[in-house]
Amino acid sequence: MASRDPVADLRRIAFLLERANEATYRVKAFRSAAAAVAKTPPDELAERAAAGTLAKLAGVGDVTARCVTESLAGEEPVYLRRLVSTEGSDLPAAATALREALRGDCHVHSDWSDGGSPIEEMALAAAELGHEYFVLTDHSPRLTVARGLTADRLRRQLDHVAKLNELMPDGFRILTGIEVDILEDGSLDQEDELLERLDVVVGSVHSKLRDESPRMTRRMVAALANPHLDILGHMTGRKVSAKGAGDAAHRAARTRPPSTFDLEKVLAAAIENGKAIEINSRPDRLDPPKRMLTVAVEAGCLFSIDTDAHAPGQLDWLEFGCERAALCDVPADRVVNTWTADGLVEWTRSHT
Ligand SMILES: [Zn+2]
Ligand SMILES: [Zn+2]
């Protein structure tokens, strides 16, 4: 039997574990093994597989060594086969249709802030999922716990992304962006000149989440009126479970009730300014709750169904958001990431 690509198999396993929200150390074991195997010449790999010494390579353990041996022998690793067989997705038809209509993701983190993987690893995984684009939205300076990017670091990131885009597979593009903190007075935590340059700006509240309703309402309405903001991220800030909290910013709190604010006023501000409300797909957020989402659909809002991914496997969480969106009858043409990258950027430029 022709041998398989052990690096691809190890990466696929890591992806599926992440997608299933498994512990980070398990995912890491497969990613480090993939890196170690990629560095080892094929002859040496074959010899080690035959002699049973693969696990002596730094970064490779017993479990990963077995996967590599199976892969080299042309068999689908048992570990991989088991993951694939349990992954079965039985999304309702409306959710599947919505998922298929999505061309990208507007909320993605990299290891420049509190994500676990480099931009190129995230981009490669997104391209493999069939995305046409994602918006890179690392955190802003005040969110120090999540290594928020200063203006200088963001400028450097923009140069880096421009170079990466030249190397991306055909039909995939990294759009520039930020998840900018909405400060207490509703202003945004980054220089105007930079916000202006970015393709997409997601704005989120990460502090004083328990503030009283009138102040929180004013804060959100002011942010939505800011011409730079395009998408309001995880609007209630609620946390529904500790699972999936793999990153510093999102691990700080375990569970959390939704913030209180005047929903009608906030939605009216979104509509008046042509901004989108995010449907955050993270299993620990599921934000906004369905009752609010239904009100937003009826009010006529635009939406963005995003993963808020902090690791490659989490890029596939879009279906969780689609499932809830479909339950609340969100129309596909009002979801900004069903649009092409050009269409999306044309929309964000229309209010800057
Ligand atoms: Zn956030
Ligand atoms: Zn985020």
Side-chain angles (χ1 to χ4, degrees):
M1 239 190 299
S3 88
R4 294 163 59 95
D5 177 356
V7 177
D9 281 342
L10 292 167
R11 284 187 59 232
R12 179 78 189 143
I13 292 170
F15 180 91
L16 291 172
L17 286 171
E18 247 163 22
R19 186 181 186 281
N21 223 346
E22 295 290 347
T24 310
Y25 74 89
R26 292 186 64 199
V27 178
K28 282 229 171 88
F30 286 92
R31 284 207 199 286
S32 1
V37 170
K39 275 192 308 208
T40 311
D43 292 353
E44 185 186 339
L45 276 184
E47 278 164 32
R48 285 183 177 277
T53 58
L54 278 168
K56 296 227 158 64
L57 283 173
V60 180
D62 289 339
V63 175
T64 47
R66 199 172 316 127
C67 293
V68 175
T69 307
E70 290 162 343
S71 213
L72 290 172
E75 298 159 25
E76 181 176 41
V78 175
Y79 201 101
L80 177 56
R81 202 182 321 144
R82 221 184 298 132
L83 279 174
V84 171
S85 71
T86 52
E87 111 186 285
S89 140
D90 46 2
L91 273 192
T96 306
L98 199 49
R99 173 64 190 88
E100 280 166 7
L102 294 183
R103 295 170 188 265
D105 191 335
C106 297
H107 189 161
V108 171
H109 296 274
S110 74
D111 63 3
W112 281 61
S113 64
D114 61 346
S117 297
I119 302 167
E120 39 279 54
E121 175 84 34
M122 297 297 283
L124 196 56
E128 281 168 4
L129 274 177
H131 286 17
E132 294 171 20
Y133 57 86
F134 68 51
V135 184
L136 180 63
T137 54
D138 279 314
H139 289 286
S140 65
R142 303 264 182 122
L143 206 60
T144 46
V145 56
R147 299 182 58 236
L149 274 62
T150 60
D152 278 349
R153 285 183 69 218
L154 180 54
R155 278 193 194 91
R156 249 180 289 146
Q157 185 182 65
L158 293 178
D159 292 340
H160 182 56
V161 167
K163 284 193 205 106
L164 282 180
N165 265 332
E166 287 167 21
L167 310 169
M168 284 295 121
D170 270 353
F172 182 82
R173 190 168 141 199
I174 305 167
L175 297 179
T176 59
I178 186 172
E179 180 180 13
V180 67
D181 263 47
I182 297 175
L183 301 174
E184 277 175 52
D185 61 357
S187 63
L188 305 179
D189 180 30
Q190 191 46 279
E191 293 175 9
D192 276 342
E193 179 263 328
L194 272 167
L195 294 173
E196 174 88 45
R197 265 175 75 188
L198 299 170
D199 292 322
V200 180
V201 173
V202 175
S204 308
V205 171
H206 288 119
S207 59
K208 279 229 175 181
L209 287 153
R210 304 260 57 80
D211 209 354
E212 57 174 30
S213 173
R215 265 208 300 265
M216 185 59 93
T217 306
R218 276 198 300 277
R219 182 178 180 183
M220 293 166 85
V221 167
L224 283 161
N226 185 315
H228 297 307
L229 184 140
D230 303 307
I231 298 169
L232 179 63
H234 50 69
M235 74 188 300
T236 77
R238 75 166 177 174
K239 279 302 192 61
V240 291
S241 77
K243 243 201 148 192
D247 54 278
H250 298 99
R251 195 170 45 227
R254 291 298 191 184
T255 66
R256 193 163 56 207
S259 299
T260 54
F261 51 87
D262 185 328
L263 180 63
E264 254 126 77
K265 277 193 188 149
V266 170
L267 296 177
I271 291 166
E272 190 188 324
N273 295 290
K275 308 300 175 65
I277 300 293
E278 177 182 76
I279 299 173
N280 190 296
S281 304
R282 294 185 65 85
D284 57 331
R285 286 195 179 272
L286 300 178
D287 200 353
K290 287 201 281 282
R291 65 194 143 80
M292 289 193 181
L293 192 47
T294 305
V295 178
V297 172
E298 282 165 10
C301 282
L302 290 173
F303 299 96
S304 180
I305 303 178
D306 301 329
T307 60
D308 198 354
H310 287 70
Q314 299 178 0
L315 288 165
D316 214 13
W317 285 353
L318 281 177
E319 61 183 50
F320 302 140
C322 287
E323 196 168 1
R324 286 169 43 263
L327 281 172
C328 300
D329 295 319
V330 173
D333 60 355
R334 275 207 260 142
V335 178
V336 299
N337 50 327
T338 63
W339 306 345
T340 60
D342 287 340
L344 180 70
V345 173
E346 198 180 310
W347 166 67
T348 63
R349 297 277 177 250
S350 73
H351 35 73
T352 40

